[in-house]
Amino acid sequence: MSGGTVDRARAMAAPLGRPALAAAAFVVLAAVFFAVIGRNPLAMIGVVLEAAAGDSYAIGESLVRATPILLCALATALPARVGLISVGAEGQFYAGAIAGTGTVLSMLPTPGWTMLPLMLVTGALGGMVWSLVAGLLRTGLQVNETISTLLTNYVAALLVTWLVYGPWKNPASQGWPATVEFPAAARLPALFDSRVHAGLLIGIALAVVLHLVLTRTRWGLVLDVLRSNPRAGLVAGLDFRRNALIVMALGGALAGLAGIAETASIQGRLQSDIAGGAGFSGFLVAWLARNHCLRIIPLSLLVGALLASGDGLQMFAQVPSSVTLVIQGLLFVAVLLVNGWLDRKRPA
Amino acid sequence: MTSFDIVFGSFLVSALRSATPLVFVLVGETLVQRTGSINLGVEGQMLVGAMAGYGAAALWGDPWLGLVAGAGAGMLLSSVHGLLTLAARANQFASGLAVWMLGFGLSAYYGAGLVGRKIEGFGTWRGAGLDDVPVLGPIVAGMTPTVLLALVVAPAVAWWFWRTRTGLVWRAVGESPEAARAAGLRPIRVRLQAILLGGLLSGLGGAALSVDHTRTWAEGMTAGRGLVAVGLVIVARWNPWWVLPTALLFGGAEALALRLQTADAGVSAHLLLTLPYITSLAVLTLTCLRDRGQAAPAGLRAVMDR
């Protein structure tokens, strides 16, 4: 065999070898962690699999967890296409939940068929506006978008808490801080007679559309140039600021959509802490997928299943559900370790 | 002593106490960024520091041991960031977030048994005869050992950083790793030392928060202080001398929020709690407006601007 064939074979195997290597590193790290906390790693991995996909209920709960993560991953991947590292999906999720809830509450006495589309649109707009704060700070004043999105996340979460303890609190709910229950007209249709809702299908469809737009259109190419070679973009007359604002706005809209869909269809009312880290899990998924929109679909299902298994771990193995947070962190570490190691020859 | 002195003095004390955990983190992250890295994982390092510190204080009944344990835990976790960014050359922002997730999960897991536990904290010097000394008396009397430690650590590090040969080496690595390497220095080793020292200080900051400032442990209790610190390093213009006044901005905003809350100013406590984040972002924006990113160490600009 000539050297060229070997190289070609190696090049073809590389994309397959990378995930396999990362998965192996992850399993080793997770096994070490289970051993450290005094659990049999094999038994624990069995419980995780059982709790994530053991029966139709488990699969349904995994899909429920995956839905907001999928949208938040797209919300991270899109700004990343011009090289922006936005960690703001969590805050945009809350902003979308606030805006959409505002629409529902304002239409409440007489909910009609317009409620659902209006709620979804205002939810997306809420996330968009929130994301544009960081986008404008970056494009106008050079404020690092990673830091500004992280700080505004806390503000958005506190605004939700303020609303549900104060102006929007349901007076009938005694001590529990939440809005009134949303009417049936505000719920997305459920799938397969479970808690899974149409938001999952919307997310998958949006991932496919985004993938096509990013890979098949001139605009996708413009974003690639702006990311990989800003100087060439400048010479070619491409507008970084304009495109950065567009991807931040679209990303924010996706996370906002995730927020209002979760509020309306899963929680049924607005309350504190509903994001539950979906924005950050979305960031992890986007990173695992290397911002590839199609790869985001299976990977968000995987991470959703991992997090959903936390409830099962608590029930069947008497392990606190925070174990899944550690496992999620180890997954991130494993992938960064393997990818970084394989790419280390490239200039940073 | 006028009532102005009392009001101002007690406000300054609460601002200082709120700022104290942040001072440690901010000093550490300043050194990390000065040598050309950025570590968002300080949030997770603070959390494991807060949890380990609180656990140690509860177990052995000594808050000093809590501070030591917290510092150790923070340093241990920061080694993950060092491994990922220096050995595997992973993206620094992503690595920091991974460390944050890991720290959040580990502290939640090991801290579950600490929720609701009581500990023996530090005392103040109130009633030790200082209260009657004009102006400074009540301020010093209201301090705890961690506040004093912060007031010593920040200038000590600043002095070390600007006046010693090692400080010069660290600055050189941050300005130009290539030139530093050509001069026979080892940039990777210096960066690792900075990351580990940053981890130690953020863990200490976390322990100062749980063992001294709040005297409780709760999941995710640092509430973004570490991330605020990453932003405030820019406000302090990567200069350890500016750490104290910058941390006081955050501490002052937090103290003001608490003050308004107890004064029943008619504004929701939850809205007031957004003040520290908004203040931090506002001063960060003002700094960026003035500097246009030019004040950053050259080695760091490559990471930040991409």
Tab-separated table of all heavy atoms in Angstrom, chain B residues 261-296:
chain	number	residue	atom	x	y	z
B	261	GLN	N	-32.945	46.794	51.202
B	261	GLN	CA	-33.892	45.729	51.519
B	261	GLN	C	-34.379	45.846	52.953
B	261	GLN	O	-35.578	45.796	53.218
B	261	GLN	CB	-33.157	44.406	51.337
B	261	GLN	CG	-33.995	43.261	50.892
B	261	GLN	CD	-33.089	42.077	50.590
B	261	GLN	OE1	-32.111	42.200	49.859
B	261	GLN	NE2	-33.382	40.952	51.169
B	262	THR	N	-33.423	46.044	53.892
B	262	THR	CA	-33.824	46.131	55.300
B	262	THR	C	-34.519	47.448	55.580
B	262	THR	O	-35.336	47.540	56.484
B	262	THR	CB	-32.615	45.981	56.243
B	262	THR	OG1	-31.550	46.775	55.719
B	262	THR	CG2	-32.159	44.538	56.332
B	263	ALA	N	-34.185	48.503	54.789
B	263	ALA	CA	-34.828	49.798	54.996
B	263	ALA	C	-36.242	49.801	54.429
B	263	ALA	O	-36.964	50.779	54.570
B	263	ALA	CB	-34.001	50.908	54.346
B	264	ASP	N	-36.617	48.697	53.742
B	264	ASP	CA	-37.953	48.585	53.187
B	264	ASP	C	-38.229	49.756	52.236
B	264	ASP	O	-39.203	50.484	52.389
B	264	ASP	CB	-39.003	48.535	54.294
B	264	ASP	CG	-40.267	47.850	53.787
B	264	ASP	OD1	-40.189	47.219	52.723
B	264	ASP	OD2	-41.308	47.950	54.443
B	265	ALA	N	-37.362	49.910	51.243
B	265	ALA	CA	-37.456	51.047	50.331
B	265	ALA	C	-38.585	50.891	49.325
B	265	ALA	O	-38.768	51.727	48.455
B	265	ALA	CB	-36.126	51.244	49.599
B	266	GLY	N	-39.329	49.809	49.407
B	266	GLY	CA	-40.452	49.645	48.497
B	266	GLY	C	-40.063	48.991	47.182
B	266	GLY	O	-40.886	48.854	46.284
B	267	VAL	N	-38.778	48.583	47.058
B	267	VAL	CA	-38.351	47.883	45.853
B	267	VAL	C	-38.140	46.416	46.218
B	267	VAL	O	-37.625	46.105	47.293
B	267	VAL	CB	-37.035	48.476	45.305
B	267	VAL	CG1	-36.673	47.824	43.981
B	267	VAL	CG2	-37.162	49.969	45.143
B	268	SER	N	-38.555	45.533	45.329
B	268	SER	CA	-38.442	44.105	45.599
B	268	SER	C	-36.990	43.695	45.853
B	268	SER	O	-36.068	44.181	45.200
B	268	SER	CB	-38.996	43.315	44.419
B	268	SER	OG	-38.313	42.095	44.286
B	269	ALA	N	-36.811	42.793	46.816
B	269	ALA	CA	-35.469	42.304	47.130
B	269	ALA	C	-34.836	41.639	45.915
B	269	ALA	O	-33.628	41.763	45.684
B	269	ALA	CB	-35.541	41.309	48.279
B	270	HIS	N	-35.648	40.963	45.120
B	270	HIS	CA	-35.098	40.266	43.951
B	270	HIS	C	-34.556	41.252	42.923
B	270	HIS	O	-33.548	40.997	42.285
B	270	HIS	CB	-36.164	39.370	43.334
B	270	HIS	CG	-36.716	38.385	44.306
B	270	HIS	ND1	-35.953	37.373	44.832
B	270	HIS	CD2	-37.929	38.276	44.881
B	270	HIS	CE1	-36.688	36.676	45.679
B	270	HIS	NE2	-37.890	37.200	45.727
B	271	LEU	N	-35.255	42.379	42.767
B	271	LEU	CA	-34.756	43.401	41.847
B	271	LEU	C	-33.469	44.009	42.387
B	271	LEU	O	-32.517	44.248	41.640
B	271	LEU	CB	-35.791	44.501	41.653
B	271	LEU	CG	-36.916	44.213	40.668
B	271	LEU	CD1	-37.750	45.464	40.460
B	271	LEU	CD2	-36.364	43.722	39.342
B	272	LEU	N	-33.421	44.250	43.699
B	272	LEU	CA	-32.220	44.835	44.291
B	272	LEU	C	-31.019	43.913	44.101
B	272	LEU	O	-29.900	44.369	43.918
B	272	LEU	CB	-32.443	45.108	45.780
B	272	LEU	CG	-33.403	46.265	46.082
B	272	LEU	CD1	-33.711	46.319	47.577
B	272	LEU	CD2	-32.823	47.586	45.616
B	273	LEU	N	-31.271	42.594	44.118
B	273	LEU	CA	-30.170	41.646	43.982
B	273	LEU	C	-29.537	41.687	42.592
B	273	LEU	O	-28.439	41.165	42.393
B	273	LEU	CB	-30.662	40.221	44.271
B	273	LEU	CG	-30.852	39.892	45.740
B	273	LEU	CD1	-31.435	38.497	45.910
B	273	LEU	CD2	-29.525	39.995	46.490
B	274	THR	N	-30.223	42.298	41.610
B	274	THR	CA	-29.604	42.416	40.289
B	274	THR	C	-28.537	43.516	40.271
B	274	THR	O	-27.713	43.566	39.362
B	274	THR	CB	-30.644	42.755	39.193
B	274	THR	OG1	-31.238	44.011	39.494
B	274	THR	CG2	-31.727	41.694	39.094
B	275	LEU	N	-28.566	44.395	41.297
B	275	LEU	CA	-27.642	45.546	41.340
B	275	LEU	C	-26.170	45.169	41.158
B	275	LEU	O	-25.490	45.785	40.334
B	275	LEU	CB	-27.818	46.308	42.654
B	275	LEU	CG	-28.722	47.546	42.642
B	275	LEU	CD1	-28.723	48.198	44.015
B	275	LEU	CD2	-28.241	48.543	41.597
B	276	PRO	N	-25.646	44.168	41.918
B	276	PRO	CA	-24.220	43.860	41.752
B	276	PRO	C	-23.856	43.451	40.324
B	276	PRO	O	-22.796	43.838	39.815
B	276	PRO	CB	-23.992	42.701	42.727
B	276	PRO	CG	-25.084	42.814	43.723
B	276	PRO	CD	-26.256	43.401	43.009
B	277	TYR	N	-24.723	42.675	39.666
B	277	TYR	CA	-24.419	42.237	38.292
B	277	TYR	C	-24.470	43.422	37.338
B	277	TYR	O	-23.609	43.574	36.471
B	277	TYR	CB	-25.416	41.169	37.835
B	277	TYR	CG	-25.493	40.007	38.778
B	277	TYR	CD1	-26.579	39.831	39.623
B	277	TYR	CD2	-24.448	39.094	38.856
B	277	TYR	CE1	-26.644	38.772	40.506
B	277	TYR	CE2	-24.499	38.034	39.736
B	277	TYR	CZ	-25.599	37.879	40.561
B	277	TYR	OH	-25.644	36.844	41.437
B	278	ILE	N	-25.522	44.251	37.486
B	278	ILE	CA	-25.670	45.392	36.580
B	278	ILE	C	-24.526	46.385	36.801
B	278	ILE	O	-23.948	46.904	35.844
B	278	ILE	CB	-27.049	46.058	36.782
B	278	ILE	CG1	-28.153	45.085	36.324
B	278	ILE	CG2	-27.141	47.349	36.004
B	278	ILE	CD1	-29.549	45.553	36.586
B	279	THR	N	-24.170	46.613	38.069
B	279	THR	CA	-23.044	47.504	38.358
B	279	THR	C	-21.771	46.984	37.703
B	279	THR	O	-21.034	47.735	37.049
B	279	THR	CB	-22.821	47.608	39.881
B	279	THR	OG1	-24.069	47.926	40.502
B	279	THR	CG2	-21.805	48.664	40.221
B	280	SER	N	-21.523	45.668	37.864
B	280	SER	CA	-20.299	45.094	37.302
B	280	SER	C	-20.280	45.242	35.792
B	280	SER	O	-19.263	45.634	35.206
B	280	SER	CB	-20.189	43.612	37.665
B	280	SER	OG	-20.226	43.454	39.053
B	281	LEU	N	-21.412	44.938	35.147
B	281	LEU	CA	-21.463	45.038	33.692
B	281	LEU	C	-21.307	46.492	33.249
B	281	LEU	O	-20.634	46.779	32.250
B	281	LEU	CB	-22.785	44.456	33.173
B	281	LEU	CG	-22.911	44.321	31.657
B	281	LEU	CD1	-21.792	43.447	31.101
B	281	LEU	CD2	-24.271	43.727	31.272
B	282	ALA	N	-21.909	47.408	34.021
B	282	ALA	CA	-21.823	48.827	33.658
B	282	ALA	C	-20.388	49.328	33.741
B	282	ALA	O	-19.902	49.996	32.819
B	282	ALA	CB	-22.735	49.652	34.576
B	283	VAL	N	-19.678	49.000	34.828
B	283	VAL	CA	-18.291	49.484	34.923
B	283	VAL	C	-17.405	48.785	33.891
B	283	VAL	O	-16.483	49.391	33.350
B	283	VAL	CB	-17.695	49.331	36.348
B	283	VAL	CG1	-18.357	50.289	37.311
B	283	VAL	CG2	-17.786	47.912	36.846
B	284	LEU	N	-17.732	47.525	33.595
B	284	LEU	CA	-16.980	46.819	32.547
B	284	LEU	C	-17.166	47.537	31.211
B	284	LEU	O	-16.204	47.753	30.458
B	284	LEU	CB	-17.461	45.375	32.449
B	284	LEU	CG	-16.891	44.534	31.314
B	284	LEU	CD1	-15.390	44.401	31.441
B	284	LEU	CD2	-17.533	43.151	31.286
B	285	THR	N	-18.411	47.910	30.926
B	285	THR	CA	-18.697	48.614	29.670
B	285	THR	C	-17.957	49.948	29.617
B	285	THR	O	-17.354	50.295	28.594
B	285	THR	CB	-20.208	48.840	29.538
B	285	THR	OG1	-20.870	47.582	29.646
B	285	THR	CG2	-20.556	49.472	28.205
B	286	LEU	N	-18.002	50.688	30.721
B	286	LEU	CA	-17.306	51.976	30.750
B	286	LEU	C	-15.814	51.799	30.519
B	286	LEU	O	-15.181	52.576	29.799
B	286	LEU	CB	-17.548	52.677	32.097
B	286	LEU	CG	-18.955	53.242	32.296
B	286	LEU	CD1	-19.110	53.807	33.695
B	286	LEU	CD2	-19.249	54.312	31.246
B	287	THR	N	-15.238	50.742	31.139
B	287	THR	CA	-13.812	50.495	30.957
B	287	THR	C	-13.495	50.186	29.503
B	287	THR	O	-12.524	50.693	28.941
B	287	THR	CB	-13.366	49.307	31.832
B	287	THR	OG1	-13.847	49.512	33.151
B	287	THR	CG2	-11.864	49.176	31.861
B	288	CYS	N	-14.335	49.334	28.887
B	288	CYS	CA	-14.099	48.975	27.486
B	288	CYS	C	-14.250	50.198	26.592
B	288	CYS	O	-13.522	50.365	25.620
B	288	CYS	CB	-15.070	47.883	27.045
B	288	CYS	SG	-14.783	46.309	27.841
B	289	LEU	N	-15.203	51.059	26.944
B	289	LEU	CA	-15.439	52.278	26.172
B	289	LEU	C	-14.192	53.152	26.174
B	289	LEU	O	-13.808	53.739	25.166
B	289	LEU	CB	-16.618	53.032	26.802
B	289	LEU	CG	-17.208	54.211	26.051
B	289	LEU	CD1	-17.800	53.724	24.744
B	289	LEU	CD2	-18.290	54.871	26.896
B	290	ARG	N	-13.508	53.193	27.332
B	290	ARG	CA	-12.342	54.049	27.459
B	290	ARG	C	-11.111	53.426	26.821
B	290	ARG	O	-10.348	54.073	26.127
B	290	ARG	CB	-12.083	54.325	28.939
B	290	ARG	CG	-11.175	55.510	29.184
B	290	ARG	CD	-10.880	55.645	30.650
B	290	ARG	NE	-10.416	54.375	31.203
B	290	ARG	CZ	-10.156	54.195	32.488
B	290	ARG	NH1	-10.341	55.179	33.336
B	290	ARG	NH2	-9.720	53.035	32.930
B	291	ASP	N	-10.926	52.110	27.086
B	291	ASP	CA	-9.672	51.484	26.674
B	291	ASP	C	-9.711	50.879	25.285
B	291	ASP	O	-8.676	50.679	24.668
B	291	ASP	CB	-9.296	50.360	27.662
B	291	ASP	CG	-9.005	50.912	29.028
B	291	ASP	OD1	-8.816	52.135	29.124
B	291	ASP	OD2	-8.978	50.135	29.979
B	292	ARG	N	-10.903	50.537	24.812
B	292	ARG	CA	-11.013	49.849	23.518
B	292	ARG	C	-10.107	48.626	23.469
B	292	ARG	O	-9.472	48.343	22.456
B	292	ARG	CB	-10.669	50.792	22.368
B	292	ARG	CG	-11.619	51.952	22.227
B	292	ARG	CD	-12.734	51.602	21.293
B	292	ARG	NE	-13.873	52.501	21.475
B	292	ARG	CZ	-15.030	52.340	20.875
B	292	ARG	NH1	-15.220	51.313	20.096
B	292	ARG	NH2	-16.016	53.173	21.061
B	293	GLY	N	-10.004	47.931	24.613
B	293	GLY	CA	-9.259	46.673	24.636
B	293	GLY	C	-7.747	46.815	24.595
B	293	GLY	O	-7.031	45.834	24.533
B	294	GLN	N	-7.262	48.060	24.637
B	294	GLN	CA	-5.823	48.250	24.456
B	294	GLN	C	-5.019	48.018	25.730
B	294	GLN	O	-3.813	47.873	25.665
B	294	GLN	CB	-5.540	49.662	23.923
B	294	GLN	CG	-6.086	49.896	22.531
B	294	GLN	CD	-5.667	48.821	21.551
B	294	GLN	OE1	-4.485	48.561	21.381
B	294	GLN	NE2	-6.628	48.166	20.916
B	295	ALA	N	-5.709	47.987	26.892
B	295	ALA	CA	-4.969	47.857	28.144
B	295	ALA	C	-4.627	46.406	28.465
B	295	ALA	O	-3.878	46.140	29.386
B	295	ALA	CB	-5.778	48.465	29.297
B	296	ALA	N	-5.163	45.462	27.713
B	296	ALA	CA	-4.953	44.052	28.026
B	296	ALA	C	-3.514	43.642	27.740
B	296	ALA	O	-2.893	44.158	26.821
B	296	ALA	CB	-5.905	43.190	27.198
